[in-house]
Amino acid sequence: MNADMMPAAIFFGAIFTGNILLSNYLGMCSFLSVSKEIKTSTGLGAAVIFVMAVTTLLNWIVYHYLLIPLHLEYLRFIVFIVVIAAFVQLVEMIIERVSEGLYAALGIFLPLITVNCAILGVSLFMVIRNYSLVSSFFYGLGSGVGWFLAILAMAGIRKKIAGASIPKGLEGPGITLIIAGMMALAFMGFSGMINIS
Amino acid sequence: MASGKIVKTFITPLGKENPVFVQILGICSTLAVTNKLENTIVMTLGVIFTTTLSSFTFSILRKVIPARIRMMVETLIIATFVIIVDIVLKAYMPDIWQQLGPYVGLIITNCIVMGRMEAFAASNPPGLSLIDGLSSGIGYAYVLIIIAFFRELLGSGTIWGFSVFGDWWSNWAIMIMPPGAFFMLAIFIWIVKGRMAE
Amino acid sequence: MKKVGFFAERVKPVIIMAALTIICIAIVSGIHLSTQDLVIANEGLFLKKAVLYAGGIKLPETNAEINELYEERVAERGDIFEISGLSGDIAAYAFIIVGPGLWGEIEAVTAFTPDLASFVGVEFVKQNETPGLGARITEPWFKEQMRGKPFPLRMVPEGTAGASGEIDAITGASRTSAYVLQIFNSAGEKAEKLRKEGI
């Protein structure tokens, strides 16, 4: 474990310099399809922040207290995805019973999340980079916030350009990818400002 | 089964229904590895292996599995094949395994694999599902290989690690960095869609 | 609502799921166990290759030859690797150094001349830097430029290193370059300490 890796630095680094979407391309599928509207983007973004932070924490605990002692590290792909799927199911059930308003706002996005690569990606990165429990939590939280920011910005831009005339082949995914590229460029400007380790 | 159907199943995902530039699926895990041709090829082989066998396995089991747990079974099957890819790479190609890092694991959440299982394997016999999985994987692979070819060429001045441009070439660092991947894919989609529209 | 049997609705899915999980885990575990020896051998070999490379010894083609060469030329004393030259005298001392990188720890083998005054070579054992950018530290040109360099080192923009103690940084990966510099310099300090204490 690395003492130099401060949770706060990891948190801000995960939002800006190492944005999970713009620098690791994770969560692209739902990003491209959902970013058409600001409202749905906000809902999905919020759900991602929540699920990412909690599942990263859960997966850290499972990995370090269950898989490592049993020497089953190689099963981590299955175990992580099961933890994520089970957690998402559980949350969906709880929200459905507790608050209808919240279910209407978040509930419909939860099934989309299990297949959001960013969630699993964060858990896998946390293992490879050997983060501590606290760092992992902040890494998950920061990545979620970063993803939220990116999809919100994209939804806003797409709304602005909705009436613009775009070359035929570029409509839809094409222009979205170009905007994502420019956003990635802009976010790269943050590197150097924040020192992730 | 008419052989025409087999051919059609094989051809559709390569062009008209291409998972990458028509359905825009599975971009997540693999844009990241397209800055080097070698990594891309190993990665796409992993994806082809996984989609082919997952679709096949799921199609065999499709009548036994209750609807409630369908998604979970799909994930389990995919995860199993991905772990096999991971273990094999780790044992036989440790250098590449290290470079790919977590991206092998992310084949699990590659929407193409699950998408084909849901859309095709769930309602078709194993043989056809196998072909569909295979050709979806290939349709995905060749797009990525083209992108990786240009990214490596422009970004590092090399192909498969061999220098092709020599000293006068100054590398376009942006091609290797994340924005380059977005731009390359956008340009690719632009060209292909423009052609298709004609 | 139509009453569905408790068994078909609740128990059957669980049984099927459990059965499938067990089958899958059994298959995966089988493959894992059958390749385990190979993986361990790979990891050992990886370190041996790193030590030999850092020590400036040309790596032979096959794995068996690498193992043999390592046995012949390298002696492990505590955490120090003593690399001997063709004549049998000590040609280099090497040790593993770990430090923070941009995304995670960077681990490298650093080898020094017998007088512990300059680098013989370096090789990275573990790194998580950005592929194509920071990860270029593993490219030969970057590692080869360390050969024979005295420390402390200074980083200069890519392609401009000339004076002694200067090494080329990597364009577009300033942070990784800075971390690597820090790691190499701390390796230098460790070497200096070893020299003062006597090895």
Side-chain angles (χ1 to χ4, degrees):
Chain A
M1 217 71 60
N2 202 324
D4 294 358
M5 305 220 171
M6 298 301 295
I10 289 182
F11 176 70
F12 288 107
I15 299 179
F16 297 111
T17 35
N19 188 293
I20 190 99
L21 181 83
L22 297 171
S23 65
N24 297 82
Y25 318 95
L26 297 178
M28 281 301 290
C29 298
S30 28
F31 177 75
L32 291 177
S33 56
V34 174
S35 64
K36 285 189 200 98
E37 276 179 56
I38 294 186
K39 201 167 159 255
T40 40
S41 302
T42 322
L44 181 64
V48 165
I49 296 180
F50 173 67
V51 173
M52 207 179 259
V54 181
T55 54
T56 312
L57 197 66
L58 288 177
N59 280 337
W60 193 92
I61 295 169
V62 168
Y63 187 73
H64 287 266
Y65 289 102
L66 201 68
L67 294 185
I68 290 186
L70 295 173
H71 298 290
L72 291 175
E73 291 96 331
Y74 63 94
L75 286 179
R76 65 178 183 276
F77 298 157
I78 288 191
V79 174
F80 284 179
I81 197 93
V82 167
V83 168
I84 293 168
F87 178 74
V88 169
Q89 288 271 327
L90 192 74
V91 173
E92 200 181 347
M93 263 154 49
I94 294 173
I95 302 188
E96 200 179 354
R97 304 223 164 140
V98 175
S99 151
E100 250 179 51
L102 197 62
Y103 184 71
L106 286 187
I108 43 166
F109 299 111
L110 286 170
L112 268 179
I113 284 186
T114 318
V115 286
N116 186 327
C117 7
I119 310 271
L120 180 68
V122 166
S123 288
L124 294 178
F125 274 122
M126 137 209 118
V127 167
I128 287 196
R129 292 178 190 163
N130 215 350
Y131 287 157
S132 69
L133 178 65
V134 182
S135 299
S136 298
F137 174 73
F138 279 101
Y139 179 60
L141 192 67
S143 298
V145 174
W147 201 87
F148 178 83
L149 264 184
I151 195 168
L152 201 62
M154 175 60 82
I157 296 172
R158 283 182 79 170
K159 204 180 158 137
K160 281 269 173 215
I161 62 161
S165 61
I166 295 162
K168 193 120 195 72
L170 268 183
E171 282 166 358
I175 193 74
T176 313
L177 282 167
I178 290 192
I179 298 170
M182 290 177 191
M183 276 166 67
L185 268 181
F187 270 64
M188 273 173 58
F190 289 116
S191 65
M193 262 171 72
I194 300 153
N195 187 346
I196 200 161
S197 343
Chain B
M1 198 188 310
S3 67
K5 197 172 179 197
I6 297 175
V7 174
K8 192 167 163 272
T9 311
F10 187 75
I11 302 253
T12 337
L14 298 181
K16 213 166 73 200
E17 290 284 312
N18 187 283
V20 182
F21 56 80
V22 179
Q23 304 179 39
I24 321 288
L25 286 179
I27 300 173
C28 345
S29 55
T30 326
L31 275 184
V33 297
T34 52
N35 57 14
K36 268 176 99 179
L37 199 54
E38 195 183 3
N39 293 356
T40 311
I41 287 178
V42 174
M43 181 74 181
T44 52
L45 285 178
V47 173
I48 293 174
F49 174 83
T50 317
T51 47
T52 312
L53 292 179
S54 306
S55 282
F56 179 68
T57 317
F58 184 65
S59 175
I60 295 175
L61 295 170
R62 74 187 191 282
K63 285 179 183 146
V64 195
I65 305 202
R68 282 180 88 85
I69 55 165
R70 204 184 62 235
M71 293 280 266
M72 278 168 82
V73 172
E74 285 171 359
T75 318
L76 181 71
I77 294 173
I78 300 170
T80 307
F81 286 115
V82 171
I83 296 179
I84 293 175
V85 172
D86 188 59
I87 293 175
V88 169
L89 279 183
K90 194 175 179 180
Y92 297 99
M93 301 170 132
D95 298 338
I96 289 177
W97 179 79
Q98 271 213 330
Q99 286 184 23
L100 291 176
Y103 289 98
V104 177
L106 289 169
I107 298 177
I108 297 176
T109 47
N110 189 319
C111 330
I112 291 178
V113 187
M114 200 145 189
R116 289 329 288 170
M117 286 166 100
E118 280 275 294
F120 198 91
S123 52
N124 282 288
L128 270 186
S129 302
L130 183 95
I131 292 167
D132 178 70
L134 178 69
S135 66
S136 295
I138 296 173
Y140 173 72
Y142 83 81
V143 175
L144 284 165
I145 289 171
I146 293 171
I147 291 175
F149 177 83
F150 284 108
R151 280 185 79 190
E152 189 180 329
L153 184 68
L154 299 175
S156 312
T158 57
I159 292 173
W160 199 266
F162 295 107
S163 173
V164 280
F165 278 155
D167 293 333
W168 57 272
W169 175 257
S170 69
N171 294 338
W172 302 10
I174 191 171
M175 269 302 161
I176 293 178
M177 288 190 261
F182 288 114
F183 293 140
M184 267 317 289
L185 184 61
I187 292 167
F188 189 88
I189 291 176
W190 188 5
I191 294 171
V192 172
K193 283 210 161 171
R195 288 262 149 149
M196 279 175 142
E198 271 164 25
Chain C
M1 210 161 77
K2 192 178 146 240
K3 187 105 179 109
V4 191
F6 178 74
F7 180 77
E9 173 72 2
R10 300 274 168 193
V11 182
K12 200 178 148 211
V14 175
I15 293 176
I16 293 183
M17 193 68 211
L20 281 175
T21 311
I22 291 168
I23 296 172
C24 288
I25 290 183
I27 296 172
V28 168
S29 302
I31 297 178
H32 173 74
L33 290 177
S34 63
T35 56
Q36 201 171 25
D37 295 340
L38 205 57
V39 170
I40 293 170
N42 277 339
E43 276 162 12
L45 193 69
F46 196 66
L47 184 65
K48 286 178 186 171
K49 269 156 87 174
V51 172
L52 290 173
Y53 178 86
I57 298 173
K58 199 176 169 300
L59 289 173
E61 290 283 315
T62 68
N63 293 348
E65 280 169 356
I66 291 173
N67 279 323
E68 202 178 307
L69 189 69
Y70 185 87
E71 293 291 316
E72 201 179 291
R73 305 282 287 273
V74 182
E76 292 169 25
R77 217 183 60 194
D79 54 356
I80 310 272
F81 301 90
E82 290 177 353
I83 302 158
S84 50
L86 282 174
S87 57
D89 301 336
I90 299 283
Y93 291 106
F95 50 82
I96 294 172
I97 189 106
V98 183
L102 181 62
W103 288 114
E105 285 174 343
I106 295 177
E107 203 177 309
V109 175
T110 48
F112 292 88
T113 47
D115 61 355
L116 292 163
S118 54
F119 285 93
V120 170
V122 296
E123 173 70 302
F124 295 94
V125 184
K126 196 183 129 195
Q127 56 89 13
N128 290 304
E129 301 312 293
T130 324
L133 286 173
R136 286 177 66 209
I137 52 173
T138 59
E139 288 179 4
W141 70 269
F142 188 82
K143 295 182 298 199
E144 287 296 327
Q145 64 169 338
M146 295 295 297
R147 300 217 184 275
K149 286 275 156 75
F151 48 83
L153 299 160
R154 269 191 330 279
M155 268 302 173
V156 294
E158 190 170 330
T160 58
S164 120
E166 279 183 355
I167 53 170
D168 280 330
I170 294 172
T171 309
S174 0
R175 299 234 59 93
T176 298
S177 305
Y179 284 120
V180 167
L181 180 69
Q182 194 185 325
I183 289 166
F184 287 164
N185 276 333
S186 73
E189 278 161 29
K190 187 173 167 186
E192 194 143 324
K193 204 167 138 238
L194 284 174
R195 181 176 57 197
K196 280 182 188 139
E197 288 168 1
I199 199 155

